[in-house]
Amino acid sequence: MYINAQPPPILSLAAPADISMHRVGESQTLKLAPYQIVQATVAEGGMERVVLKIKDHQLSAETKVPLRTGQKLNLQVMATSPQTHLRIMEEAELRHLFRLLHSFGRSIRIMPMLENMGPEAKAMVSNLMNVLGSDPRALTGSDISRLWQHMGLNLEALLAQGRSQEAFSGFKALLLMQAAGGQGAGAGAEEASAMLEHLNLFQLCRYRLAQDNTVFLPLPFEFLEQGYLLAQKQQPRQGGSQDADDSADPPDETPAWKMNLNLKLSVLGSLEILLLFEDPGLRMRVLCETQKSAKTISQAMPQLADRLTTVSLLGYSVDTGARDPVMTLLERLVPEGDHFLEAMA
């Protein structure tokens, strides 16, 4: 294993977290949050000072490594106060993702491992089992939002923030100890290592898709063979042109959310569900694997609309054409123009 002994390159931006810039005749604000991943282009290269372009903003920055004009960078926000610090992501981190992609072919079953955990993990096990073993009809959005923390997939971020007690209360921390032989009881080291591979894959998927402004959330529920959620915030509607008369509708400042649920169930097969949340409700498109599944879903849609309490269903469609969730995710992970070559000797 190759370990880089030098610290990762850091860029220091001479600006606060809310970076106000001038764009197209109006004041805009670029907000960066800790651990956010952004893509940048080097507008003006240099040995010590450079100009970066992030979205429509140009920022002056100090750099410890020489950068050339036109260079593309994947940057992670390490700090926003008193100055903004960005870390250049190593290409090795992306290559590691592709080494783990074979894990998608294996199903993940967390519940059996939780049942064999020792008493020291009682609180964590209880929380995670309650979520993963939930009846799908009783599952709430809050349950899904807490899933990331219960599984410990934010372990490294919490450690970086100095919140070690919180970091080691998750499922991944227990697996790390078991894989290293630190726990005498419970699942064996081999099973723990295999599960850790899955969790590492989930984290790398989240990192890779964050570069496309997409949030990735795995859904390893017991009632699913495979499943994950992709969420992307859409730009708010800009309204009419400046030449429009005063009676034109004002621009919509509320961003819409586009979500993709990619699922595989033993009875229905593969499902691709597109959810578009916009004021004042929800639009849905469901793709099924077979005509039989499409008929079943179509019959259930009125009941689903009645069960929605916080948002109204503005419209929906049901059709066939759903692909396996694994293949759909692989297409999202592999950058356009990149290809795999599989060879067997």
Side-chain angles (χ1 to χ4, degrees):
M1 178 184 296
Y2 172 71
I3 300 177
N4 187 355
Q6 297 186 1
I10 294 291
L11 298 175
S12 296
L13 299 181
D18 289 353
I19 304 170
S20 297
M21 301 296 294
H22 195 66
R23 184 187 73 172
V24 196
E26 58 186 35
S27 178
Q28 299 289 331
T29 299
L30 174 63
K31 293 184 178 181
L32 300 176
Y35 306 103
Q36 179 185 0
I37 297 173
V38 296
Q39 291 180 308
T41 302
V42 180
E44 295 181 17
M47 300 292 290
E48 297 180 352
R49 295 200 64 85
V50 296
V51 176
L52 301 178
K53 182 178 180 182
I54 302 177
K55 296 183 178 178
D56 293 323
H57 304 268
Q58 287 198 343
L59 316 172
S60 176
E62 297 179 359
T63 176
K64 297 181 179 179
V65 292
L67 298 174
R68 67 181 184 276
T69 301
Q71 187 174 352
K72 304 290 186 180
L73 301 174
N74 295 315
L75 305 174
Q76 184 175 28
V77 182
M78 303 304 295
T80 57
S81 178
Q83 282 191 326
T84 301
H85 293 276
L86 303 173
R87 179 172 75 93
I88 301 175
M89 304 298 295
E90 299 285 352
E91 286 300 317
E93 293 172 288
L94 286 178
R95 289 197 296 269
H96 183 50
L97 166 64
F98 296 106
R99 286 198 296 268
L100 289 175
L101 286 177
H102 68 278
S103 297
F104 275 124
R106 304 196 304 265
S107 60
I108 177 172
R109 288 291 179 261
I110 298 179
M111 293 288 280
M113 295 196 73
L114 292 173
E115 293 170 354
N116 293 325
M117 288 286 184
E120 68 284 344
K122 184 177 180 180
M124 181 278 296
V125 168
S126 177
N127 290 333
L128 195 50
M129 288 187 70
N130 287 340
V131 174
L132 297 181
S134 297
D135 185 321
R137 293 170 295 182
L139 197 63
T140 67
S142 297
D143 294 328
I144 296 176
S145 67
R146 290 194 300 268
L147 185 60
W148 186 260
Q149 287 76 21
H150 289 329
M151 293 179 66
L153 298 179
N154 58 346
L155 169 71
E156 292 80 2
L158 291 173
L159 289 176
Q161 298 172 28
R163 298 156 62 183
S164 56
Q165 183 175 356
E166 187 177 350
F168 286 106
S169 65
F171 182 51
K172 184 178 180 180
L174 253 83
L175 288 176
L176 285 168
M177 290 185 284
Q178 289 183 341
Q183 299 281 345
E190 185 176 343
E191 292 174 301
S193 296
M195 186 65 69
L196 278 170
E197 190 174 79
H198 269 289
L199 300 188
N200 287 334
L201 176 59
F202 290 157
Q203 289 178 291
L204 287 167
C205 288
R206 188 173 174 90
Y207 157 64
R208 168 66 188 91
L209 292 170
Q211 298 174 45
D212 300 327
N213 297 316
T214 301
V215 177
F216 169 78
L217 180 64
L219 303 173
F221 295 106
E222 282 295 290
F223 58 85
L224 294 175
E225 291 187 6
Q226 291 171 338
Y228 56 85
L229 169 70
L230 300 176
Q232 192 171 32
K233 184 182 291 187
Q234 306 294 292
Q235 294 296 325
R237 182 174 59 84
Q238 298 299 317
S241 65
Q242 295 181 349
D243 297 332
D245 57 36
D246 296 336
S247 63
D249 293 336
D252 185 0
E253 298 296 335
T254 304
W257 278 91
K258 183 176 73 173
M259 299 187 182
N260 288 78
L261 272 171
N262 291 79
L263 313 173
K264 189 172 185 179
L265 299 92
S266 58
V267 176
L268 295 173
S270 298
L271 296 175
E272 291 186 53
I273 305 172
L274 173 62
L275 306 171
L276 182 60
F277 291 88
E278 56 184 10
D279 191 21
L282 165 69
R283 299 186 187 277
M284 181 183 303
R285 183 189 183 203
V286 183
L287 294 180
C288 305
E289 188 174 351
T290 64
Q291 285 287 356
K292 182 179 179 181
S293 296
K295 182 179 179 180
T296 301
I297 294 294
S298 297
Q299 293 172 346
M301 288 303 294
Q303 183 180 357
L304 172 63
D306 292 338
R307 291 178 62 88
L308 294 175
T309 57
T310 60
V311 66
S312 59
L313 187 60
L314 302 178
Y316 67 87
S317 64
V318 180
D319 205 344
T320 57
R323 298 167 295 171
D324 186 274
V326 173
M327 298 307 300
T328 303
L329 184 57
L330 288 178
E331 290 179 7
R332 294 291 299 264
L333 291 172
V334 180
E336 186 176 357
D338 289 358
H339 305 278
F340 286 110
L341 175 62
E342 182 176 348
M344 299 182 63

